[in-house]
Coordinates of all heavy atoms in Angstrom, one line a residue:
S1 N 0.8 -1.2 0.0 CA 0.0 0.0 0.0 C 0.9 1.3 0.0 O 2.0 1.2 0.3 CB -0.9 0.0 1.2 OG -0.2 0.1 2.4
R2 N 0.2 2.4 -0.4 CA 0.9 3.7 -0.3 C -0.2 4.7 0.1 O -1.3 4.8 -0.4 CB 1.4 4.1 -1.7 CG 2.1 5.4 -1.7 CD 2.6 5.8 -3.1 NE 3.1 4.7 -3.9 CZ 2.6 4.4 -5.1 NH1 1.7 5.1 -5.7 NH2 3.1 3.4 -5.8
N3 N 0.1 5.4 1.2 CA -0.8 6.4 1.7 C -2.1 5.8 2.0 O -3.2 6.4 1.8 CB -0.9 7.6 0.8 CG 0.4 8.3 0.5 OD1 1.3 8.3 1.4 ND2 0.6 8.8 -0.7
G4 N -2.2 4.6 2.5 CA -3.4 3.9 2.9 C -4.2 3.3 1.8 O -5.3 2.8 2.0
K5 N -3.7 3.4 0.5 CA -4.4 2.9 -0.6 C -3.7 1.5 -1.0 O -2.5 1.4 -1.2 CB -4.3 3.9 -1.8 CG -4.9 3.4 -3.1 CD -4.7 4.3 -4.2 CE -5.2 3.7 -5.5 NZ -4.5 4.1 -6.7
L6 N -4.6 0.5 -1.1 CA -4.1 -0.8 -1.5 C -3.6 -0.8 -3.0 O -4.3 -0.3 -3.9 CB -5.2 -1.9 -1.4 CG -4.9 -3.3 -1.8 CD1 -3.8 -3.8 -0.9 CD2 -6.1 -4.2 -1.7
L7 N -2.4 -1.3 -3.2 CA -1.8 -1.3 -4.6 C -1.8 -2.7 -5.2 O -2.1 -2.9 -6.4 CB -0.4 -0.8 -4.6 CG -0.2 0.6 -4.0 CD1 1.3 0.9 -3.9 CD2 -0.9 1.6 -4.9
A8 N -1.5 -3.7 -4.3 CA -1.3 -5.1 -4.8 C -1.2 -6.0 -3.7 O -1.1 -5.7 -2.5 CB -0.1 -5.2 -5.7
K9 N -1.4 -7.3 -4.0 CA -1.1 -8.4 -3.1 C 0.1 -9.2 -3.7 O 0.1 -9.4 -4.9 CB -2.4 -9.3 -3.0 CG -2.3 -10.3 -1.8 CD -3.5 -11.2 -1.9 CE -4.4 -11.0 -0.7 NZ -5.5 -12.0 -0.6
V10 N 1.0 -9.6 -2.8 CA 2.2 -10.3 -3.3 C 2.3 -11.6 -2.5 O 1.9 -11.7 -1.4 CB 3.5 -9.4 -3.1 CG1 3.4 -8.2 -4.0 CG2 3.7 -9.0 -1.7
K11 N 3.0 -12.6 -3.1 CA 3.2 -13.9 -2.5 C 4.8 -14.1 -2.4 O 5.5 -13.9 -3.3 CB 2.6 -15.0 -3.4 CG 2.8 -16.3 -2.7 CD 2.0 -17.3 -3.6 CE 2.1 -18.7 -3.0 NZ 1.4 -19.7 -3.8
I12 N 5.2 -14.4 -1.1 CA 6.6 -14.6 -0.9 C 7.1 -15.9 -1.6 O 6.6 -16.9 -1.3 CB 6.9 -14.7 0.7 CG1 6.2 -13.6 1.4 CG2 8.4 -14.8 0.9 CD1 6.7 -12.2 1.1
V13 N 8.2 -15.7 -2.4 CA 8.7 -16.9 -3.1 C 10.1 -17.2 -2.7 O 10.6 -18.3 -3.0 CB 8.6 -16.7 -4.7 CG1 7.2 -16.6 -5.1 CG2 9.4 -15.4 -5.1
N14 N 10.8 -16.3 -2.0 CA 12.2 -16.6 -1.5 C 12.4 -15.8 -0.3 O 12.2 -14.6 -0.3 CB 13.2 -16.2 -2.6 CG 14.6 -16.7 -2.3 OD1 14.9 -17.0 -1.2 ND2 15.4 -16.6 -3.4
V15 N 12.8 -16.4 0.8 CA 13.1 -15.7 2.1 C 14.5 -15.9 2.5 O 15.1 -17.0 2.6 CB 12.2 -16.3 3.2 CG1 12.4 -15.5 4.5 CG2 10.7 -16.3 2.8
M16 N 15.2 -14.7 2.6 CA 16.6 -14.7 3.1 C 16.6 -14.2 4.5 O 15.5 -13.9 5.1 CB 17.4 -13.8 2.2 CG 17.6 -14.5 0.8 SD 17.9 -13.3 -0.5 CE 16.2 -13.0 -1.0
E17 N 17.7 -14.0 5.2 CA 17.8 -13.6 6.6 C 17.1 -12.2 6.8 O 16.4 -12.1 7.7 CB 19.2 -13.6 7.0 CG 19.4 -13.5 8.5 CD 18.7 -14.6 9.3 OE1 18.7 -15.8 8.8 OE2 18.2 -14.3 10.4
D18 N 17.5 -11.3 5.9 CA 17.0 -9.9 6.2 C 16.2 -9.3 5.0 O 15.9 -8.1 5.0 CB 18.2 -9.0 6.5 CG 19.2 -8.9 5.4 OD1 19.1 -9.7 4.4 OD2 20.1 -8.1 5.5
R19 N 15.8 -10.1 4.0 CA 15.0 -9.6 2.9 C 14.3 -10.8 2.3 O 14.6 -11.9 2.5 CB 15.8 -8.8 1.9 CG 16.9 -9.6 1.2 CD 17.7 -8.7 0.3 NE 18.7 -9.4 -0.4 CZ 19.9 -9.7 0.1 NH1 20.2 -9.4 1.4 NH2 20.8 -10.4 -0.6
A20 N 13.3 -10.5 1.4 CA 12.5 -11.5 0.8 C 12.1 -11.0 -0.6 O 12.0 -9.8 -0.9 CB 11.3 -11.8 1.6
I21 N 11.9 -12.0 -1.5 CA 11.4 -11.7 -2.8 C 9.9 -12.2 -2.9 O 9.6 -13.3 -2.4 CB 12.2 -12.4 -3.9 CG1 13.7 -11.9 -3.8 CG2 11.7 -12.2 -5.3 CD1 14.7 -12.7 -4.7
A22 N 9.1 -11.3 -3.5 CA 7.7 -11.7 -3.6 C 7.2 -11.4 -5.0 O 7.5 -10.3 -5.6 CB 6.9 -10.9 -2.6
N23 N 6.4 -12.3 -5.5 CA 5.8 -12.1 -6.8 C 4.4 -11.4 -6.7 O 3.7 -11.7 -5.7 CB 5.5 -13.4 -7.5 CG 6.8 -14.0 -8.1 OD1 7.8 -13.4 -8.3 ND2 6.8 -15.4 -8.2
V24 N 4.1 -10.4 -7.6 CA 2.8 -9.8 -7.6 C 1.8 -10.8 -8.1 O 2.0 -11.4 -9.1 CB 2.9 -8.5 -8.5 CG1 1.5 -7.9 -8.5 CG2 3.9 -7.5 -8.0
M25 N 0.7 -11.0 -7.3 CA -0.3 -12.0 -7.7 C -1.1 -11.5 -8.8 O -1.6 -10.3 -8.8 CB -1.1 -12.3 -6.4 CG -0.3 -12.9 -5.3 SD -1.2 -13.2 -3.8 CE -2.5 -14.4 -4.3
P26 N -1.3 -12.3 -9.8 CA -2.2 -11.9 -10.9 C -3.6 -11.5 -10.4 O -4.1 -12.1 -9.5 CB -2.3 -13.2 -11.8 CG -1.2 -14.0 -11.3 CD -0.9 -13.7 -9.9
N27 N -4.2 -10.6 -11.1 CA -5.5 -10.1 -10.7 C -5.6 -9.3 -9.4 O -6.6 -8.9 -9.0 CB -6.6 -11.2 -10.7 CG -6.6 -12.0 -12.0 OD1 -6.5 -11.4 -13.1 ND2 -6.8 -13.3 -11.9
W28 N -4.4 -9.1 -8.8 CA -4.4 -8.4 -7.5 C -3.6 -7.1 -7.6 O -3.3 -6.4 -6.6 CB -3.8 -9.2 -6.4 CG -4.8 -10.1 -5.7 CD1 -5.1 -11.4 -6.0 CD2 -5.8 -9.7 -4.7 NE1 -6.1 -11.8 -5.2 CE2 -6.6 -10.8 -4.4 CE3 -6.0 -8.5 -4.0 CZ2 -7.6 -10.8 -3.5 CZ3 -7.0 -8.5 -3.1 CH2 -7.8 -9.6 -2.8
K29 N -3.1 -6.8 -8.8 CA -2.4 -5.5 -9.0 C -3.3 -4.4 -9.4 O -3.9 -4.4 -10.5 CB -1.3 -5.7 -10.1 CG -0.4 -4.6 -10.3 CD 0.7 -4.8 -11.2 CE 1.7 -3.7 -11.3 NZ 2.8 -3.9 -12.3
L30 N -3.5 -3.5 -8.5 CA -4.5 -2.4 -8.7 C -3.8 -1.1 -9.2 O -4.4 -0.3 -9.8 CB -5.2 -2.1 -7.4 CG -5.9 -3.4 -6.7 CD1 -6.5 -3.0 -5.4 CD2 -6.9 -3.9 -7.7
D31 N -2.5 -1.0 -8.9 CA -1.7 0.2 -9.3 C -0.2 -0.2 -9.3 O 0.1 -1.3 -8.8 CB -1.9 1.3 -8.3 CG -1.7 2.7 -9.0 OD1 -1.1 2.7 -10.1 OD2 -2.2 3.7 -8.4
D32 N 0.6 0.6 -9.9 CA 2.0 0.3 -10.0 C 2.7 0.4 -8.6 O 2.3 1.3 -7.8 CB 2.7 1.3 -10.9 CG 2.4 1.0 -12.4 OD1 2.1 -0.1 -12.7 OD2 2.5 2.0 -13.2
I33 N 3.6 -0.5 -8.3 CA 4.3 -0.5 -7.0 C 5.6 0.3 -7.2 O 6.2 0.2 -8.3 CB 4.6 -1.9 -6.6 CG1 3.3 -2.7 -6.4 CG2 5.4 -1.9 -5.3 CD1 3.5 -4.2 -6.2
M34 N 6.0 1.1 -6.2 CA 7.2 1.9 -6.2 C 8.1 1.6 -5.0 O 7.6 1.1 -4.0 CB 6.9 3.4 -6.2 CG 6.1 3.8 -7.5 SD 5.6 5.6 -7.5 CE 6.3 6.3 -6.1
E35 N 9.4 1.8 -5.2 CA 10.3 1.7 -4.0 C 9.8 2.6 -2.9 O 9.4 3.7 -3.1 CB 11.7 2.0 -4.4 CG 12.3 1.1 -5.4 CD 13.7 1.5 -5.9 OE1 14.3 2.4 -5.2 OE2 14.2 0.9 -6.8
G36 N 9.8 2.0 -1.7 CA 9.4 2.8 -0.5 C 7.9 2.5 -0.1 O 7.5 3.0 0.9
D37 N 7.2 1.8 -1.0 CA 5.8 1.5 -0.6 C 5.8 0.6 0.6 O 6.7 -0.2 0.9 CB 5.1 0.8 -1.8 CG 4.7 1.8 -2.9 OD1 4.7 3.0 -2.6 OD2 4.4 1.3 -4.0
T38 N 4.7 0.6 1.4 CA 4.6 -0.2 2.6 C 4.1 -1.6 2.3 O 3.2 -1.7 1.4 CB 3.6 0.5 3.6 OG1 4.1 1.9 3.8 CG2 3.4 -0.2 4.9
V39 N 4.6 -2.5 3.0 CA 4.2 -3.9 2.9 C 3.7 -4.4 4.2 O 4.4 -4.2 5.2 CB 5.4 -4.8 2.4 CG1 5.0 -6.2 2.2 CG2 6.1 -4.3 1.2
L40 N 2.5 -5.0 4.2 CA 1.9 -5.4 5.5 C 1.6 -6.9 5.4 O 1.2 -7.5 4.4 CB 0.5 -4.7 5.7 CG 0.6 -3.2 5.7 CD1 -0.8 -2.6 5.6 CD2 1.3 -2.7 7.0

């Protein structure tokens, strides 16, 4: 999300110690994701 607006849903595909990679789920991308967006 950004500024309280839902942008997308992502699924975690790779988990490392201090970061993770997530794929954007098809049909759940409502807007473009940018660096700095919040992940919940």
